[in-house]
Amino acid sequence: MTGFVLEARDVGVRFGGVRALSGVSLGVRAGEVCGLIGPNGAGKTTLFDVVSGIRRPDAGRVLLDGADITRRSPVWRARHGMRRTFQRQQLFGQLTVADNLLVAQEWRGGGGGLAADMLAAPSRRSRAAARAERATAVLRACGLASLADSSAGALPVGRARMVELARALADPPRVLLLDEPASGMTADERVQLSAVIRRLADEQGCAVLLVEHNVAFVMELCARVVVLDLGAVLAEGTAAEVRADAAVRDAYLGTASVNGRSTGMPAPP
Ligand SMILES: Nc1ncnc2c1ncn2[C@@H]1O[C@H](COP(=O)(O)OP(=O)(O)OP(=O)(O)O)[C@@H](O)[C@H]1O
Ligand SMILES: [Mg+2]
């Protein structure tokens, strides 16, 4: 046993002639927030696609609790507690914030089928009430209670990002993949985001894999950091070890911004 809840082993992905990932291995334990950083095009999102099941790798395996899930569907993975957020914001813009969280719990079904719907069976009603309660609690924990009735499509980007996280938490995750959750957030919003992720790992034992260009944010939140470059793991270790790694500095950490997004790092002298 490796102790990893989530593991990628020797994952390889090709897009025609582009080798997006080759021989990538990493693991995340329960209660751990693991950072995944690297320059643009390093393969971070592609790895998330493989882990969440929307892309089949050309090589390698994905394991959940030590069992091979490489061929399992995204829905199967969600049923077993895996959630992700996307690099490009994907809220239901026409719905309210609260409804975004209710929809996220709807996939389990109400139970009892059509008859229960038509009769508004008590069990169905109590389940609906429990979901609404859960949505309210998650919104409160994410500092979004006052926005519950706002239209999700009208929110400023930082708040919308937080709603995406809240939606991923509406049904409690065991494994959470976050692709650039802090992008577009203000400094205050990042502090709040960091606290929510920390609590999720500490109090609920969730295994979190976090992709983020803001390296300062990652270094503060993550005990362990994996660095991808050109589709391969360049370095792995504690935040301090990674920060001190010469190859990582050359590839990445010397840059103050990536595609206009701040890494939170000082520019090289
Ligand atoms: N659908 C696709 N078709 C072809 N090439 C792709 C596709 N998706 C990604 N790539 C290529 O695979 C490589 C890895 O891309 P990926 O999006 O995983 O990087 P990333 O680390 O998430 O980058 P960023 O920090 O910019 O989000 C890049 O060279 C990219 O151009
Ligand atoms: Mg990406």
Side-chain angles (χ1 to χ4, degrees):
M1 276 302 287
T2 58
F4 294 128
V5 176
L6 174 71
E7 209 183 336
R9 281 195 198 158
D10 287 325
V11 169
V13 172
R14 278 179 171 281
F15 294 111
V18 176
R19 222 199 274 179
L21 295 173
S22 59
V24 171
S25 297
L26 59 77
V28 191
R29 297 183 177 82
E32 180 183 37
V33 186
C34 178
L36 180 62
I37 63 173
N40 290 122
K44 305 178 296 295
T45 297
T46 304
L47 184 63
F48 268 27
D49 290 348
V50 169
V51 169
S52 62
I54 62 178
R55 184 171 298 287
R56 193 63 63 76
D58 300 310
R61 297 190 295 156
V62 180
L63 291 89
L64 186 66
D65 301 319
D68 192 331
I69 60 161
T70 316
R71 304 187 77 78
R72 297 288 190 180
S73 69
V75 171
W76 188 95
R77 296 175 205 215
R79 277 190 202 286
H80 289 77
M82 194 185 287
R83 308 273 179 275
R84 83 175 277 190
T85 63
F86 289 85
Q87 184 167 351
R88 292 175 68 103
Q89 198 242 104
Q90 308 234 355
L91 286 175
F92 300 113
Q94 313 286 351
L95 300 183
T96 66
V97 167
D99 282 346
N100 266 272
L101 270 72
L102 289 176
V103 165
Q105 301 176 75
E106 216 31 65
W107 63 281
R108 282 182 192 278
L114 186 61
D117 273 343
M118 292 179 69
L119 296 169
S123 62
R124 171 65 63 97
R125 270 184 282 143
S126 72
R127 261 192 293 265
R131 289 174 187 188
E133 222 168 85
R134 168 84 194 158
T136 303
V138 171
L139 287 176
R140 200 177 307 126
C142 293
L144 295 167
S146 63
L147 296 175
D149 298 325
S150 305
S151 164
L155 296 176
V157 60
R159 294 288 79 189
R161 286 262 169 217
M162 196 59 146
V163 175
E164 282 196 303
L165 173 62
R167 189 175 59 179
L169 307 185
D171 215 343
R174 287 200 308 125
V175 172
L176 181 62
L177 312 169
L178 299 173
D179 201 345
E180 302 197 26
S183 83
M185 282 193 169
T186 64
D188 283 351
E189 287 170 338
R190 282 202 298 273
V191 170
Q192 197 179 32
L193 172 69
S194 187
V196 172
I197 297 173
R198 185 76 276 151
R199 275 203 306 275
L200 185 69
D202 289 350
E203 294 170 16
Q204 295 176 39
C206 185
V208 183
L209 186 58
L210 171 79
V211 165
E212 190 44 65
H213 277 296
N214 189 314
V215 178
F217 179 86
V218 172
M219 296 292 186
E220 207 207 275
L221 183 57
C222 304
R224 208 157 52 81
V225 177
V226 176
V227 186
L228 269 190
D229 186 33
L230 301 173
V233 175
L234 178 68
E236 180 185 352
T238 64
E241 284 165 351
V242 163
R243 213 190 269 273
D245 189 300
V248 175
R249 285 201 159 272
D250 284 350
Y252 191 52
L253 293 185
T255 44
S257 71
V258 178
N259 271 5
R261 289 171 291 183
S262 169
T263 62
M265 297 294 289

